[in-house]
Amino acid sequence: MSRARFEELLERMLGLNAASIGTSAIDRAVDERRRACALDDDGYWEFLQRSREEMQELIETVVVPETWFFRDPEAFAAMARIVNELWLRSDPSRLLRILSLPCSTGEEPYTMAMALLDAGVPAHRFRIDAIDVSLRALAKARLGVYGRNSFRSRDLSFRDRHFENAEGGYRLLDTVRAPVHFGHGNIMDPTFMTGAESYDVIFCRNLLIYFDPPTQNRAVAVLGRLLGKGGVLFVGHSETGLMPPNGFASAKIPMAFAFRRAEAQPAPLTRLPSPPLPRAAAGRPPAPVKKAAPVFAPKIVAAPEKPRQHSIDDLRRIADSGDVEAAARGCEAFMRDNGPSADIFLLLGLIRDAGGDAIAAANYYRKALYLDPANPEALGHLALLLRRQGDHAGARLLDERMRRQGGRRNG
Ligand SMILES: C[S@@+](CC[C@H](N)C(=O)[O-])C[C@H]1O[C@@H](n2cnc3c(N)ncnc32)[C@H](O)[C@@H]1O
């Protein structure tokens, strides 16, 4: 019996595009839940239509909760700078409203709180709302106890400042927990956060990669509705290309993947360097906006086409989902078929960097720069890597080169 109907249901409910995580991952999730309910495919399908609880169980089984503290740290540093340098000074009485969507198991919103507290922003000056569709992830987030997997960044000094030892890992201190408020929500729900006050900062990272283009456009429209005037939206590095076609312009903060509404007159980001954001201009043309389907609507469309061969964007998604070895193998296969390119070397560099192999990562970044000397992502990541290794002079040279190349690329 066809599994396409389950894929379609998950796409309507969650926005999840089967091709983004692979149909076999959806198959496995359906099998797991079907067996837990002791039903065959048809019986389980019928049950799913009737039971919201089971729908939630299936969602829990299929979502990818991959996250860690200070993931893409430049975004948090940029947020803290913007908050400190611009907003708090210009309006000292205002409470800053920040949204983390999706927040998964809490590492992202708690990192926001740590970054702001470390930058000297008092806890009573900001509020962080953190939303996810997974109740399981939210329960873990509220518990605030984290194991090794949540601490993947090189610099772990934040752990000494903001955690205490606990059974099974490290417990966040109340100072970090207090400003963060968790809530359950689904960005695909037509009533999602209607009537909510707008936000000064929104982080929506590593969610849009799981959607197909029309769904991505719908989700970005929701983010646009929630973002206040002059607000800043941070997305994941492989999601930047979606923003310009949806009316957002780069905030020009290197490696932070930050955007403002294109029509909004950007406030001057004093003291922030401003080379172009990597890959932000390579947007696709706007896809037609799909009308929101009712939550338990009957099936209406055919199963999506499955990709035959991985593109570089597919491989980035696979790497982002945590399966870095599969992504690395995919990169090698891609190079065999298509030859080397700066983009594929860059991705291999990112994969090796994330795995802690600094030597291999640096080699790949250099290969990317050999083929594309102005590649801002390769320049930025290599500079970060050198800085982490204590080679500040080498990093400064790359920063300088990035500024020069950035100017040239901007014309
Ligand atoms: C890969 S995590 C990203 C977490 C964090 N933003 C980060 O970048 O580290 C993706 C999260 O998206 C959530 N999610 C998936 N579909 C969603 C939806 N339609 N609405 C809200 N959250 C969703 C999942 O439950 C999962 O926790």
Side-chain angles (χ1 to χ4, degrees):
M1 174 56 72
S2 157
R3 282 289 169 86
R5 57 188 169 172
F6 291 100
E7 291 172 15
E8 290 159 20
L9 179 64
L10 283 167
E11 179 148 16
R12 280 200 305 282
M13 288 295 298
L14 268 189
L16 179 68
N17 177 18
S20 71
I21 60 164
T23 49
S24 58
I26 294 184
D27 265 359
R28 277 197 302 276
V30 171
D31 273 335
E32 187 182 321
R33 288 310 310 157
R34 182 183 64 69
R35 282 201 208 101
C37 300
L39 290 167
D40 64 11
D41 259 30
D42 286 342
Y44 184 60
W45 173 253
E46 294 300 320
F47 184 43
L48 258 188
Q49 313 306 303
R50 283 183 279 115
S51 168
R52 276 183 183 267
E53 289 73 23
E54 184 49 38
M55 189 66 227
Q56 183 64 33
E57 286 300 329
L58 181 60
I59 288 173
E60 300 293 348
T61 315
V62 87
V63 290
V64 182
E66 187 73 6
T67 186
W68 58 91
F69 290 111
F70 286 94
R71 180 181 194 173
D72 292 328
E74 293 80 3
F76 300 99
M79 176 196 67
R81 267 193 319 256
I82 293 170
V83 164
N84 242 342
E85 292 182 5
L86 294 172
W87 293 333
L88 288 186
R89 284 186 203 169
S90 66
D91 191 352
S93 63
R94 197 158 68 91
L95 177 77
L96 272 156
R97 289 177 45 80
I98 300 169
L99 177 65
S100 164
L101 162 72
C103 65
S104 189
T105 39
E107 286 87 333
E108 181 178 275
Y110 287 139
T111 301
M112 292 167 158
M114 286 187 272
L116 289 173
L117 293 170
D118 285 347
V121 181
H124 68 271
R125 300 298 312 276
F126 62 92
R127 174 193 168 97
I128 300 170
D129 290 331
I131 311 286
D132 201 281
V133 77
S134 164
L135 291 170
R136 235 177 259 167
L138 289 168
K140 182 162 188 249
R142 289 189 177 105
L143 197 63
V145 177
Y146 293 94
R148 249 171 28 130
N149 216 20
S150 299
F151 299 97
R152 302 189 208 172
S153 55
R154 294 283 182 314
D155 177 6
L156 290 178
S157 53
F158 68 90
R159 198 166 64 189
D160 301 331
R161 288 195 296 280
H162 297 294
F163 290 78
E164 59 190 9
N165 287 326
E167 207 184 318
Y170 300 85
R171 182 183 299 108
L172 261 170
L173 300 180
D174 286 348
T175 40
V176 179
R177 298 166 65 130
V180 182
H181 304 264
F182 291 99
H184 185 221
N186 178 351
I187 196 171
M188 286 296 110
D189 182 339
T191 63
F192 179 72
M193 296 187 87
T194 45
E197 256 182 73
S198 61
Y199 290 91
D200 299 295
V201 175
I202 298 179
F203 272 52
C204 182
R205 307 192 310 166
N206 306 302
L207 174 66
L208 304 172
I209 45 171
Y210 298 106
F211 298 166
D212 69 5
T215 312
Q216 288 170 333
N217 294 342
R218 266 173 65 194
V220 176
V222 172
L223 300 172
R225 157 165 71 75
L226 291 171
L227 190 68
K229 195 163 175 274
V232 182
L233 169 63
F234 293 82
V235 296
H237 63 75
S238 38
E239 297 161 333
T240 54
L242 300 170
M243 307 314 290
N246 279 290
F248 283 84
S250 165
K252 300 198 171 159
I253 310 170
M255 314 310 297
F257 318 116
F259 291 83
R260 294 170 188 277
R261 273 208 206 76
E263 77 275 11
Q265 217 27 271
L269 292 179
T270 46
R271 306 216 296 272
L272 296 180
S274 54
L277 262 188
R279 303 158 64 85
R284 24 186 129 174
V289 176
K290 206 159 80 179
K291 198 166 174 280
V295 171
F296 277 95
K299 77 172 180 184
I300 44 168
V301 286
E305 280 269 331
K306 294 159 193 73
R308 301 283 162 260
Q309 194 203 32
H310 287 311
S311 66
I312 294 186
D313 278 345
D314 291 332
L315 293 167
R316 273 187 180 248
R317 275 193 283 272
I318 294 170
D320 284 343
S321 75
D323 199 352
V324 288
E325 284 316 315
R329 280 196 305 277
C331 289
E332 300 298 343
F334 184 94
M335 268 202 285
R336 274 196 301 278
D337 291 336
N338 304 285
S341 68
D343 278 351
I344 203 79
F345 282 136
L346 171 65
L347 182 52
L348 277 162
L350 291 168
I351 288 169
R352 293 301 165 221
D353 214 352
D357 187 345
I359 294 176
N363 272 338
Y364 281 126
Y365 291 147
R366 290 199 170 97
K367 284 182 183 181
L369 289 170
Y370 180 73
L371 295 178
D372 178 9
N375 188 300
E377 272 195 270
L379 283 167
H381 281 286
L382 185 56
L384 278 176
L385 195 153
L386 293 184
R387 204 160 268 128
R388 283 201 307 266
Q389 294 178 320
D391 182 357
H392 294 284
R396 269 197 303 276
L397 283 175
L398 288 167
D399 287 345
E400 193 41 47
R401 196 167 140 192
M402 183 153 54
R403 266 189 288 280
R404 282 199 312 270
Q405 302 285 18
R408 239 171 265 165
R409 279 206 169 184
N410 277 341

